[in-house]
Amino acid sequence: MTDEILSDQEMVRYCRQILLPSCDIDGQEKLKQARVLVIGVGGLGCAAAQYLGAGGLGRLTLVDFDKVELSNLQRQILHTTANIGDNKALSGQQSLQAINPEIEVVAITRKMAGEELAQECLAHDVVVDCCDNLETRTLLNQLCFNTKTPLVSGAAIRMEGMVSCFDYSDDAPCYQCFSQLFGEQQLSCMEAGVLSPAVGIIGSIQAAEVIKIISGIGRPLIGRILLADIATMSFREMKLSKSAQCKVCS
Ligand SMILES: [Zn+2]
């Protein structure tokens, strides 16, 4: 039965992952059948999408209306010098299809309004927040809460980063519970700078969390915030509880 889902070529392509007892053929099949929405094809999105695509996520939808600039190339690894001026979702799609022609990659190049974005959240199994602004983060959290679509959220700036997952189950916190507790820095990489591999580390962790959620491997960062300090290379974890005052989930 299993060979109907994964071809012989795919069995070879993904064999190192299938070898993991916790993944196995079942896990790889779940990845192939999954749909993941990546919001933002910048530093985080390039790293996350690259591992998701190479790792065999069946359908990736990349969303970005921005164009590739020279100053992006230090950290946005799906885009090349030849892509300067191209739309980031299209450039990302092109790179991912070259890495893995077995998967389907869809590019959305326009800015989506709430209702359209809600429909996209509903049509996907997991949403990966790789955006660079609070407005989009807050909107995505609300839409994922409404549609009960798991959200993997990541942020990186300077030499710091964070990752957390939200599944919107009854007792689980949401992104708003986090941001209202600790505040949100409004700085962008344009103002504060960012170390090239910092976005790679955080985006790769986001990809790992997506794969874990879809295939049922391990224990995702639900109710936990992972904080990374790249300068000292130390990682710590904070517990996050549902807030009774949260305007989204309570
Ligand atoms: Zn909340």
Side-chain angles (χ1 to χ4, degrees):
M1 295 296 279
T2 52
D3 57 357
E4 290 176 8
I5 297 178
L6 293 172
S7 68
D8 291 348
Q9 283 289 317
E10 288 171 309
M11 290 293 286
V12 175
R13 179 181 284 267
Y14 307 127
C15 66
R16 299 298 191 278
Q17 197 158 267
I18 291 170
L19 268 175
L20 298 171
S22 55
C23 180
D24 212 327
I25 295 174
D26 281 355
Q28 194 64 50
E29 286 175 350
K30 285 180 188 159
L31 296 180
K32 178 168 178 175
Q33 290 166 320
R35 296 172 163 215
V36 172
L37 183 64
V38 180
I39 305 292
V41 195
L44 297 173
C46 282
Q50 189 175 40
Y51 278 109
L52 291 172
L57 252 296
R59 178 174 161 151
L60 286 175
T61 305
L62 308 180
V63 183
D64 209 313
F65 60 86
D66 219 357
K67 287 188 165 54
V68 178
E69 294 177 26
L70 179 60
S71 60
N72 299 149
L73 299 181
Q74 155 255 16
R75 66 197 178 282
Q76 303 185 10
I77 53 169
L78 289 177
H79 315 308
T80 69
T81 306
N83 292 125
I84 291 172
D86 295 347
N87 171 272
K88 289 186 183 181
L90 286 173
S91 166
Q93 178 191 42
Q94 196 179 32
S95 296
L96 288 178
Q97 296 282 214
I99 292 168
N100 189 356
E102 305 280 1
I103 61 166
E104 186 185 351
V105 186
V106 176
I108 297 179
T109 61
R110 63 187 181 281
K111 195 167 190 170
M112 288 190 286
E115 184 52 37
E116 195 183 5
L117 195 53
Q119 288 305 316
E120 290 297 335
C121 292
L122 206 53
H124 290 80
D125 299 301
V126 178
V127 176
V128 197
D129 178 4
C130 298
C131 78
D132 60 357
N133 66 87
L134 181 59
E135 188 191 346
T136 308
R137 281 179 199 289
T138 305
L139 175 63
L140 275 179
N141 179 60
Q142 180 70 61
L143 297 177
C144 287
F145 173 80
N146 295 349
T147 58
K148 298 288 180 265
T149 312
L151 175 69
V152 176
S153 188
I157 197 161
R158 294 182 293 252
M159 298 177 75
E160 300 146 30
M162 60 77 67
V163 185
S164 190
C165 304
F166 306 98
D167 70 349
Y168 307 104
S169 55
D170 287 346
D171 298 322
C174 77
Y175 182 80
Q176 187 68 35
C177 297
F178 166 70
S179 66
Q180 73 182 26
L181 266 181
F182 301 99
E184 171 82 18
Q185 48 187 359
Q186 290 274 14
L187 285 175
S188 69
C189 292
M190 208 193 298
E191 298 152 333
V194 63
L195 191 76
S196 172
V199 290
I201 291 167
I202 299 299
S204 300
I205 294 173
Q206 287 181 275
E209 293 300 294
V210 172
I211 289 175
K212 285 163 59 185
I213 289 170
I214 289 168
S215 59
I217 298 173
R219 188 168 66 100
L221 283 164
I222 292 165
R224 301 184 286 148
I225 310 270
L226 181 73
L227 298 167
D229 181 347
I230 308 300
T232 57
M233 206 48 88
S234 55
F235 292 76
R236 64 195 175 94
E237 185 184 309
M238 280 185 338
K239 287 221 179 313
L240 178 67
S241 303
K242 191 182 181 88
S243 161
Q245 282 82 46
C246 180
K247 60 187 181 196
V248 175
C249 73
S250 286

